[in-house]
Amino acid sequence: MSLRQQVLHGGRYLIARQALGALLGFGGNLVIVRTIGPDAYGLAAAAIGIHTFAGTIMQWGLNTWLIRRPGETTRVHLDAAFTLLTMICLVGGVLLTASVPLLQRWVDLHGFSPVALVLFPSVLLTPVLIIPLAWLERELQYRKIAWIEFFCQIGHLGVSIPLALAGFGAWAVIGGVWTQLLVNGFLLLRASRYRPRFCWDPEEFRGMLTYGFSFSSSMWVWQSRRLVNPLLVGRWFGAEAVGFVALAIRFAEMLGFVLQATWRIALSALSRVQHEPGRLSRAVGEGMRLQLLAYGSVLLGFSATAHWLLPLIYGKQWEPALAVFPFIAAGYLTNSMFSLHSSALYARRQNWEVTRFHLVHILVFASAALMLVPRFGMVGYGYAELLALPSYYVVHRAVRRRVASPEYGVAPVWWFAFCLPLFWQQLGLWTFAAVPLGLLWPGTVKELRGYVELALGRGRAAPATSS
């Protein structure tokens, strides 16, 4: 089965969940941010950004190791991974908590320390979350995962919204995060029927640590993007500016619900053709164009209406977030073109190639932000996003060398057609002319017809993937 079919059929529950989650997220986020205001939201976002980065490091790639390891995954493998992950999180949790005074001095945000001290210990829940989820994903139990994530989001909103309305400020968001993690752990354990048990297996640990470091190091570097807003924007312009940038990022992530689902499906789908470079390259090309079309359409629709809707719905106090949103959206749109490149390299076990790309990207992005944020404010964060776009050539070159050259087809045309109108407020309404030009471009109609036929079940069947 091709990646296109994997996305449209095999992961329909996960994609539907992400879509519903985006709608709930917009509604819930609306109530929360409108009630607590930019300062409190920025304070919570700063702590959550650092917490997310640290949590990614502590996972050590063991979830991906369990999903993609060859052969049968037994209870021994799950228990060994749980044991190792518990040890990592215990050490990491202590170090993270001990770093709070240093972080407080750097970001200089009033109230950061108590919020961080309450949130950071939640990393100890990581083993309970990662191990059963990895097993469910390995078994392609996307329907169960979709329902679990839905109820977790309900739990988050069910706690954070009442707390926000009651005047708890940043604590409303933190309470929602804790609730979401606890509900997630309970439901994952129940759905997977996994009962944590310690298992000491040094030989298995060595394999996990070796693979996990090569995979997770690339994720560590990439997730360090989350530190730029709290550590740079927060340091020079305070919690309010962090809140504006965080809201713009939140919009881009919620609108990218399809990307979140397809990337997870791709980890399994591309692994099945990892020894066939031609098929792997074609799958990357198909998925790239599909993701770009889906995400670009949603981003463009939001960008065209946000200027009127955001002040009306969220309040005028949040209007500054629109100044940085187009830059962030352009960065996320570009990433949608190349995210499957990284998945293909992971499938071919070229983890260090992904790390090299992530390192180049982050060095350019963070260095540009360090120079531009103090001078231009939070819009400097957006300028840094644009300056980092050429770094995607690194991952393109790696795929061409290690796999095969992907078939981009009309993807660059679609990228331009969706990206340029994002800046209509800065450049003018003429930018929307790029959309009909993209639709009239030779090859676009044929590509779109193929998607429609496949969605209706009339597309040409692809050969089954090898196991």
Side-chain angles (χ1 to χ4, degrees):
M1 182 181 289
S2 71
L3 178 61
R4 187 193 299 181
Q5 291 169 314
Q6 287 275 350
V7 171
L8 292 178
H9 297 302
R12 62 186 182 277
Y13 291 108
L14 196 56
I15 294 173
R17 201 304 288 174
Q18 296 287 1
L20 180 59
L23 291 174
L24 286 174
F26 268 114
N29 202 52
L30 164 62
V31 176
I32 294 168
V33 302
R34 188 181 177 99
T35 303
I36 69 177
D39 278 326
Y41 186 72
L43 181 61
I48 291 172
I50 297 170
H51 170 269
T52 302
F53 172 70
T56 301
I57 293 179
M58 293 179 207
Q59 291 179 22
W60 203 269
L62 296 186
N63 55 334
T64 306
W65 179 85
L66 288 171
I67 293 171
R68 294 173 48 194
R69 67 176 305 279
E72 182 184 1
T73 297
T74 66
R75 174 62 184 259
V76 173
H77 297 121
L78 296 176
D79 290 340
F82 176 82
T83 303
L84 179 60
L85 194 55
T86 299
M87 292 188 294
I88 293 173
C89 290
L90 283 173
V91 175
V94 171
L95 294 176
L96 179 62
T97 304
S99 70
V100 170
L102 294 176
L103 292 170
Q104 173 65 71
R105 280 197 290 271
W106 174 263
V107 299
D108 195 26
L109 298 178
H110 178 69
F112 174 82
S113 288
V115 169
L117 287 172
V118 170
L119 177 63
F120 288 175
S122 66
V123 297
L124 298 178
L125 296 174
T126 300
V128 179
L129 303 174
I130 293 301
I131 305 304
L133 177 60
W135 185 87
L136 289 173
E137 292 206 24
R138 182 180 175 89
E139 297 299 314
L140 304 180
Q141 297 292 321
Y142 293 121
R143 186 173 185 176
K144 289 183 178 179
I145 295 171
W147 279 110
I148 290 171
E149 293 181 349
F150 173 73
F151 284 116
C152 287
Q153 189 171 24
I154 292 297
H156 178 279
L157 297 176
V159 170
S160 58
I161 290 178
L163 289 178
L165 295 174
F168 281 88
W171 293 106
V173 182
I174 303 304
V177 171
W178 262 105
T179 302
Q180 184 172 8
L181 293 174
L182 292 172
V183 172
N184 195 18
F186 171 78
L187 293 179
L188 284 172
L189 290 174
R190 182 173 180 179
S192 65
R193 298 182 181 178
Y194 172 68
R195 298 297 176 265
R197 186 177 61 184
F198 292 110
C199 174
W200 187 260
D201 191 336
E203 183 177 352
E204 199 69 30
F205 291 165
R206 280 193 294 271
M208 294 178 192
L209 290 171
T210 301
Y211 174 83
F213 180 75
S214 65
F215 173 82
S216 59
S217 58
S218 66
M219 302 306 296
W220 300 345
V221 176
W222 187 257
Q223 287 296 325
S224 63
R225 285 178 53 91
R226 295 185 176 273
L227 301 179
V228 174
N229 185 28
L231 297 187
L232 296 184
V233 178
R235 177 174 176 81
W236 276 288
F237 294 96
E240 186 179 58
V242 173
F244 293 140
V245 174
L247 184 64
I249 294 173
R250 180 67 174 154
F251 284 148
E253 291 179 343
M254 286 191 296
L255 293 169
F257 61 88
V258 173
L259 304 184
Q260 298 167 26
T262 55
W263 192 88
R264 290 166 65 176
I265 296 167
L267 279 178
S268 299
L270 295 181
S271 296
R272 298 181 183 184
V273 293
Q274 60 182 296
H275 301 299
E276 303 176 61
R279 295 184 68 189
L280 186 59
S281 177
R282 288 193 297 273
V284 170
E286 288 181 348
M288 169 180 57
R289 294 190 296 276
L290 183 60
Q291 290 199 148
L292 183 61
L293 178 64
Y295 191 35
S297 301
V298 176
L299 277 179
L300 184 58
F302 179 82
S303 178
T305 57
H307 178 68
W308 296 280
L309 292 181
L310 189 138
L312 178 65
I313 299 175
Y314 280 77
K316 287 187 175 296
Q317 61 179 336
W318 286 100
E319 199 167 4
L322 293 176
V324 73
F325 174 77
F327 302 94
I328 293 173
Y332 274 68
L333 181 64
T334 306
N335 182 263
S336 73
M337 279 187 65
F338 294 95
S339 63
L340 294 182
H341 290 56
S342 297
S343 298
L345 291 170
Y346 284 137
R348 295 279 287 179
R349 298 186 179 276
Q350 298 295 325
N351 298 350
W352 291 114
E353 292 283 2
V354 184
T355 303
R356 186 177 296 111
F357 154 61
H358 286 175
L359 187 60
V360 172
H361 179 89
I362 293 302
L363 284 175
V364 175
F365 175 57
S367 299
L370 184 62
M371 293 184 294
L372 297 175
V373 167
R375 182 175 180 182
F376 296 102
M378 66 178 185
V379 178
Y381 181 99
Y383 295 156
E385 284 274 16
L386 295 186
L387 289 175
L389 295 186
S391 65
Y392 284 96
Y393 175 75
V394 176
V395 73
H396 158 75
R397 191 166 178 267
V399 170
R400 188 176 62 183
R401 185 173 64 252
R402 299 293 186 180
V403 185
S405 184
E407 299 176 2
Y408 286 88
V410 295
V413 176
W414 289 356
W415 177 87
F416 179 79
F418 289 129
C419 191
L420 185 62
L422 294 174
F423 297 90
W424 70 271
Q425 287 186 270
Q426 291 85 358
L427 302 178
L429 291 173
W430 66 268
T431 56
F432 284 100
V435 178
L437 290 176
L439 292 176
L440 294 174
W441 192 267
T444 294
V445 174
K446 180 180 179 181
E447 192 81 18
L448 295 179
R449 185 185 297 119
Y451 292 142
V452 172
E453 291 178 351
L454 182 62
L456 296 176
R458 297 199 298 263
R460 180 171 59 88
T465 58
S466 58
S467 58

